[in-house]
Amino acid sequence: MTHRDSPLAVVTIVSGGQTGADRAALDFAIEHRLPHDGWCPRGRRAEDGPLDLRYQLRETASTNYEVRTRQNVEDSDGTAVFSIAPRPSGGTALTLRFARESQRPLLHLARNAHPLFGTADAIRTDAERLCEFLVEHQIRRLNIAGPRGSQEPTIGTYVWSVLASALASE
């Protein structure tokens, strides 16, 4: 159940459907009855096979992951990039670059950047930062991105924990 006073409660979650951060954000949206949207590669391509139809994503004309990454950045009011490592690589670094190039609001939350990473206090701090970001930039369509599950196996739990804490905040 969503908390109606949380800034996250009025947001559409936008994501590309890849395993890891993307999928955790979409699953969170579905479970908490938040609207979700986004672009995925043609064929609903993901590292674990075609993306399930319960994810209401549109297919790009290309199978290239970069095309959907750019489209999701451009179709959102802002992007929140989640990672475990403080210095992302691969597609996560590409998302950061696209967001900067498009001059869209950007927030990067890195779990291991906290001195006490993984604690309830660290999760609450990141949730507060996310809520402040949403309010400051008046974000209604939030692109959530980050590493795929094979690159950072605990990223989904981190994304889910921060979103749950943000949704519970007032």
Side-chain angles (χ1 to χ4, degrees):
M1 207 50 93
T2 61
H3 191 288
R4 64 181 182 174
D5 295 329
S6 170
L8 188 59
V10 296
V11 167
T12 296
I13 302 293
V14 174
S15 207
Q18 187 55 272
T19 63
D22 290 13
R23 197 82 54 84
L26 293 171
D27 288 340
F28 183 88
I30 291 168
E31 183 169 316
H32 292 88
R33 296 187 177 117
L34 298 173
H36 72 277
D37 192 11
W39 292 92
C40 62
R42 186 178 75 226
R44 302 181 68 81
R45 183 174 168 230
E47 77 172 345
D48 61 345
L51 190 59
D52 192 285
L53 292 175
R54 76 186 188 111
Y55 302 110
Q56 299 168 18
L57 306 183
R58 295 166 282 167
E59 293 182 42
T60 64
S62 172
T63 58
N64 187 314
Y65 290 124
E66 288 184 26
V67 173
R68 75 91 215 272
T69 297
R70 183 180 299 277
Q71 193 68 46
N72 283 329
V73 167
E74 292 176 356
D75 278 359
S76 301
D77 300 322
T79 295
V81 171
F82 288 78
S83 67
I84 301 301
R87 290 191 152 163
S89 60
T92 307
L94 185 66
T95 303
L96 289 165
R97 192 182 98 212
F98 286 162
R100 288 182 185 116
E101 287 174 356
S102 68
Q103 299 182 12
R104 304 241 193 237
L106 172 64
L107 175 66
H108 178 210
L109 299 172
R111 189 195 72 183
N112 289 0
H114 291 281
L116 299 171
F117 67 83
T119 65
D121 284 342
I123 294 296
R124 270 193 302 276
T125 298
D126 283 350
E128 289 168 7
R129 289 182 60 206
L130 178 61
C131 287
E132 289 166 2
F133 175 75
L134 296 173
V135 170
E136 177 184 348
H137 298 286
Q138 300 177 346
I139 294 186
R140 294 293 173 258
R141 290 178 56 81
L142 176 66
N143 179 34
I144 295 181
R148 58 183 63 193
S150 63
Q151 293 171 331
E152 290 186 351
T154 59
I155 190 64
T157 301
Y158 173 55
V159 169
W160 188 282
S161 297
V162 172
L163 293 177
S165 184
L167 190 60
S169 72
E170 293 185 34

